[in-house]
Amino acid sequence: MSCPLANASGIYGLAVSEYLIGAILNQYRYFPLLKERQNKKIWNSKLKPIQSISQKTILVLGCGDLGSTFAKKAQALGAHTIGAATSVRPIEGFDEVITLDQLDDYLGKCDILVSTLPSNEKTRYLLDIDSFRKMKPTAMFINVGRGDLVSLKTLEDVMDQKLISSMVLDVFEIEPLAADSPLWQNEQVMITPHISGDFSLPETKELLWKLVNQNLDALQNKTPFVNMVSQ
């Protein structure tokens, strides 16, 4: 007797894409510094030149629900979006689509590198120190996929050597992140405890229950499940 299996693809795109937009603006507009000045009651409008998402080139590793939902929002803000997928094909939200095999040729072109990749044999430790050496020194790296895309030591070495400008890290090779990691104290690193998706956004739970109800109806009506993985 077989048991149909479906996944929850499609429910996290909203939460993760808004996390990504917020994280980028947090770095580009110096919100942590402004909050620090507020806490100290310092009225000081002097900042380094702020940046805009508009006209930035964003390379997204993974073109599924997470990557494409974010890419559409980044496009709407004026970014040029490049998606790295399993094959080259038109994907909504992306101005260009490449394969992961072409990644090294595009790392130097992006202003922001975002990973939404799952963990598997092809993605595990996909990025190493040489990957970051190919990037612009002004680039930002964000990981909301899986922590084993890049080792903790590599992340620490990249920021120690100032190979890129900043990082936003929601996932790590080993969680929680060790208290003695220098990433905690690096002002150019934003760390969050694996919450970019999660269920903290009420709409995510609503999307999940909608999906469950659709598949319960499909079971009753003997029609194909949504997001069918296997039968």
Side-chain angles (χ1 to χ4, degrees):
M1 180 178 178
S2 63
C3 177
L5 176 65
N7 63 33
S9 177
I11 73 168
Y12 294 108
L14 174 64
V16 172
S17 62
E18 291 188 354
Y19 170 99
L20 288 167
I21 295 295
I24 293 169
L25 292 176
N26 185 67
Q27 299 295 89
Y28 277 2
R29 301 301 296 261
Y30 301 106
F31 289 144
L33 175 60
L34 292 170
K35 180 60 178 176
E36 180 182 335
R37 290 177 180 175
Q38 175 187 334
N39 292 339
K40 295 178 180 179
K41 301 178 182 179
I42 296 174
W43 185 274
N44 181 356
S45 60
K46 293 182 179 179
L47 293 170
K48 297 177 183 178
I50 61 174
Q51 298 187 65
S52 172
I53 294 175
S54 179
Q55 306 304 310
K56 290 293 188 295
T57 295
I58 303 179
L59 175 54
V60 183
L61 309 183
C63 301
D65 173 52
L66 304 185
S68 62
T69 302
F70 163 66
K72 284 182 277 189
K73 293 179 180 178
Q75 270 188 337
L77 293 172
H80 178 80
T81 57
I82 304 172
T86 54
S87 62
V88 175
R89 62 194 188 278
I91 301 177
E92 188 177 4
F94 294 101
D95 297 299
E96 301 178 60
V97 176
I98 64 171
T99 65
L100 290 176
D101 293 336
Q102 299 173 278
L103 186 57
D104 284 352
D105 296 329
Y106 284 80
L107 288 172
K109 299 178 181 181
C110 70
D111 299 293
I112 304 171
L113 175 64
V114 175
S115 177
T116 66
L117 288 171
S119 176
N120 56 49
E121 291 183 1
K122 291 185 178 180
T123 64
R124 203 167 292 123
Y125 304 113
L126 177 68
L127 300 181
D128 57 22
I129 193 75
D130 289 332
S131 304
F132 291 94
R133 288 193 177 108
K134 293 181 175 73
M135 295 173 65
K136 299 177 182 179
T138 55
M140 179 190 303
F141 170 61
I142 310 177
N143 192 2
V144 293
R146 288 292 178 262
D148 61 7
L149 176 84
V150 52
S151 72
L152 176 59
K153 184 178 187 309
T154 295
L155 294 173
E156 293 173 346
D157 288 347
V158 167
M159 295 311 296
D160 180 60
Q161 298 175 33
K162 298 181 180 179
L163 298 181
I164 63 172
S165 175
S166 59
M167 290 183 178
V168 177
L169 304 169
D170 185 52
V171 291
F172 293 89
E173 182 182 18
I174 298 174
E175 297 179 354
L177 177 64
D180 60 355
S181 172
L183 294 175
W184 285 109
Q185 305 301 323
N186 194 309
E187 294 182 356
Q188 297 305 111
V189 178
M190 174 180 168
I191 293 170
T192 56
H194 206 143
I195 48 81
S196 60
D198 200 13
F199 286 101
S200 53
L201 186 69
E203 286 84 349
T204 302
K205 290 183 180 179
E206 292 173 11
L207 289 168
L208 175 61
W209 288 121
K210 180 180 178 180
L211 179 60
V212 169
N213 286 329
Q214 285 178 305
N215 281 336
L216 286 174
D217 289 341
L219 180 64
Q220 183 177 21
N221 298 325
K222 298 181 179 179
T223 56
F225 278 27
V226 179
N227 294 344
M228 177 72 78
V229 176
S230 66
Q231 294 183 329

